[in-house]
Amino acid sequence: MSVSQSFATSLSSSSSAFFVSSNFISSGYGVQNVPFPAKSIGVVKCVAAPQEQETVFKTKVPRNSNMAKLQAGYLFPEIARRRNAHLLKYPDAKVISLGIGDTTEPIPEVITSAMAQKSLGLSTREGYSGYGAEQGEKPLRAAIASTFYGNFGIEEDDIFISDGAKCDISRLQVVFGSNVTMAVQDPSYPAYVDSSVIMGQTGQFQKDVEKYATIEYMRCTAENGFFPDLSTVGRTDIIFFCSPNNPTGSAATREQLTQLVQFAKKNGSIIVYDSAYALYMSDDNPRSIFEIPGAKEVAIETSSYSKYAGFTGVRLGWTVVPKQLLFSDGFPVAKDFNRIVCTCFNGASNIAQAGALACLSPEGLKAMYEVIGFYKENTDIIVDTFNSLGFKVYGGKNAPYVWVHFPGQSSWDVFSEILERTHVVTTPGSGFGPGGEGFIRVSAFGHRENILEACRRFKQLYK
Ligand SMILES: Cc1ncc(COP(=O)(O)O)c(C=O)c1O
């Protein structure tokens, strides 16, 4: 398939990519010169033509006003769109993607063979199983409890298996509803803010400050060690906190997390702690919020096999909702989460769960850590490259992300320059919130030869 064919296919199979692109051109981000395929231009013109508009049928259903508050496209589809546009402009370029943060290395066979066996079993009477428990299979819940939370008092029934942490973030938002306030690290993984907007927890986007009204943005900068000054943070019902952090790559220390738990306790808030990168930690920082005394009364933890075991496509994650966590009326949060899981989700794939269980066998754990170790070597290569070029570089040690500072520059401009001149896709820091402006995130997920080649091109560009 040619590049333009594959782009056309991705357009026709992804309505979000299509709508983002038309949105994007009209909002003037500065790539109007990039040629688009005739198909795309044709459809856009057709919708814009007045005589055509008269015949367009509209339903009487009002658009969800919260959806209308969302800004442009979700960050990663937008980056994919720009990458595709770049490929159209330079069809022969060897584009290297260090942007979206998708894993690249094969899943170890000790894990895939368990999935294959489960899958083949489905063709037999004995091995067939249909719907499973919505909360996940007991052996997997028990294995997660003992492997990751052994000494922290988390029990099997506190764990809900899911199809990924991102999906659980949205399900948690459904539990919280529209009448809560929320805080996020700034910068942070975009799903927290966007799901909050969709749920109607926020006001409109304020263009002057690049923030949604009513969200408390907890600024995380190099100056404060990427941990917010909690004395300046207002009370909110919910606090999203990700450590090791995407995108800054920094991990909170035990003392900092103790402060966070005390802050939540003082304010009667719930922390949603995202530990999707905990196994990448090199420092002796907590891997789980439940290492902090008292956290079970104020925190939920969501995590994922995506970056641990290359399950970004397989899809498997989990969320811990301790039975000690109560709403203001004394009702257990876990019971409401269970209700949402049973209503909105019918349980994770049984094949994926077989793979997840195999990950936690002694051989599976060893294999998982080997792949993580490989990505950590990639991270070192990227960190060394930018250090050697004189940049201020953060992250990398405890997460597969390197956070590079370009003081005084717009991150989308830096993103565009790097793409244009090196054919390497990165992620603009401002896509993670106003606190990310002036940074780019470089992901360490890549084949070794691509990481080395990307670093060679960075050295040429910035020498
Ligand atoms: C911080 C963070 N949380 C959650 C996710 C999504 O995880 P999953 O693939 O399990 O939905 C990601 C993916 O990049 C992430 O960076």
Side-chain angles (χ1 to χ4, degrees):
M1 191 186 276
S2 73
V3 170
S4 56
Q5 273 173 323
S6 75
F7 182 55
T9 309
S10 81
L11 274 182
S12 58
S13 64
S14 164
S15 59
S16 69
F18 171 75
F19 285 117
V20 167
S21 66
S22 55
N23 229 356
F24 167 78
I25 288 179
S26 62
S27 60
Y29 281 132
V31 294
Q32 285 89 340
N33 294 336
V34 175
F36 277 79
K39 184 177 175 192
S40 155
I41 290 169
V43 177
V44 172
K45 275 188 180 161
C46 177
V47 171
Q51 70 274 26
E52 292 288 337
Q53 261 179 357
E54 280 165 29
T55 62
V56 168
F57 176 78
K58 287 182 194 154
T59 69
K60 292 180 179 165
V61 181
R63 185 176 180 207
N64 178 341
S65 58
N66 295 319
M67 294 299 296
K69 288 179 197 164
L70 289 168
Q71 293 305 296
Y74 185 79
L75 176 63
F76 298 114
E78 174 59 27
I79 290 170
R81 198 202 59 72
R82 289 192 183 209
R83 176 184 183 275
N84 288 334
H86 184 79
L87 270 170
L88 279 178
K89 189 175 172 189
Y90 300 105
D92 299 326
K94 185 173 180 302
V95 172
I96 299 174
S97 190
L98 305 181
I100 285 170
D102 196 0
T103 45
T104 54
E105 300 311 291
I107 300 172
E109 219 173 293
V110 58
I111 300 164
T112 50
S113 62
M115 289 194 275
Q117 211 180 340
K118 178 73 188 178
S119 176
L120 287 172
L122 294 175
S123 291
T124 66
R125 276 192 174 213
E126 309 72 51
Y128 177 74
S129 61
Y131 289 127
E134 288 92 341
Q135 305 78 6
E137 292 169 8
K138 257 176 171 284
L140 179 58
R141 298 173 84 190
I144 288 176
S146 61
T147 307
F148 297 114
Y149 307 101
N151 299 320
F152 317 138
I154 296 296
E155 294 168 342
E156 172 210 309
D157 60 349
D158 295 324
I159 291 168
F160 295 80
I161 308 297
S162 74
D163 51 349
K166 194 191 232 181
C167 320
D168 273 347
I169 289 162
S170 285
R171 285 190 279 262
L172 284 167
Q173 294 282 29
V174 175
V175 171
F176 299 139
S178 310
N179 294 323
V180 293
T181 51
M182 68 94 106
V184 283
Q185 289 152 296
D186 176 24
S188 67
Y189 179 57
Y192 316 133
V193 166
D194 281 9
S195 59
S196 180
V197 174
I198 290 167
M199 283 304 299
Q201 296 167 359
T202 75
Q204 295 292 340
F205 187 72
Q206 300 167 317
K207 280 211 158 47
D208 51 340
V209 282
E210 307 254 308
K211 292 177 179 177
Y212 287 95
T214 72
I215 289 186
E216 185 74 30
Y217 290 77
M218 304 186 293
R219 197 68 165 221
C220 296
T221 61
E223 288 70 39
N224 63 20
F226 297 102
F227 186 82
D229 176 359
L230 295 175
S231 69
T232 64
V233 173
R235 183 204 174 271
T236 58
D237 295 310
I238 310 299
I239 304 168
F240 280 94
F241 199 93
C242 177
S243 179
N245 182 269
N246 176 9
T248 66
S250 65
T253 63
R254 194 168 302 274
E255 292 68 34
Q256 288 170 334
L257 290 180
T258 303
Q259 268 182 42
L260 183 70
V261 166
Q262 285 166 355
F263 179 73
K265 222 161 219 177
K266 183 184 86 190
N267 288 330
S269 308
I270 294 176
I271 300 166
V272 178
Y273 188 80
D274 187 335
S275 63
Y277 299 96
L279 294 191
Y280 284 80
M281 201 103 75
S282 297
D283 287 346
D284 190 26
N285 296 318
R287 268 64 172 162
S288 163
I289 190 72
F290 299 118
E291 293 189 36
I292 308 300
K296 286 198 285 292
E297 289 160 8
V298 291
I300 290 167
E301 180 165 310
T302 187
S303 201
S304 170
Y305 280 79
S306 283
K307 311 298 162 84
Y308 290 3
F311 272 31
T312 48
V314 174
R315 308 300 307 146
L316 204 93
W318 72 90
T319 290
V320 186
V321 191
K323 45 184 90 55
Q324 294 88 339
L325 182 68
L326 308 176
F327 285 118
S328 56
D329 64 356
F331 197 82
V333 176
K335 282 200 170 176
D336 273 355
F337 188 62
N338 187 54
R339 183 67 184 257
I340 293 299
V341 163
C342 292
T343 305
C344 308
F345 179 55
N346 252 342
S349 146
N350 45 21
I351 298 169
Q353 291 190 73
L357 191 58
C359 288
L360 303 184
S361 68
E363 307 77 40
L365 280 169
K366 184 167 169 282
M368 232 171 27
Y369 274 110
E370 273 167 18
V371 181
I372 289 172
F374 172 85
Y375 290 131
K376 284 172 75 68
E377 285 170 13
N378 281 352
T379 315
D380 292 343
I381 295 169
I382 297 167
V383 168
D384 289 348
T385 299
F386 280 101
N387 272 333
S388 75
L389 293 166
F391 286 92
K392 275 233 150 69
V393 181
Y394 303 94
K397 191 167 175 209
N398 295 311
Y401 298 122
V402 182
W403 190 236
V404 189
H405 200 190
F406 290 79
Q409 294 191 57
S410 133
S411 8
W412 275 112
D413 285 352
V414 176
F415 166 91
S416 297
E417 184 186 39
I418 292 177
L419 181 59
E420 182 69 27
R421 297 186 51 196
T422 68
H423 306 303
V424 178
V425 181
T426 57
T427 308
S430 60
F432 299 97
E437 188 53 285
F439 286 85
I440 57 152
R441 189 194 76 174
V442 184
S443 154
F445 294 119
H447 300 316
R448 182 60 47 80
E449 66 273 20
N450 287 344
I451 298 289
L452 290 170
E453 172 60 17
C455 287
R456 194 188 61 74
R457 295 183 196 171
F458 292 147
K459 282 184 176 161
Q460 250 181 351
L461 177 62
Y462 293 115
K463 66 181 177 232

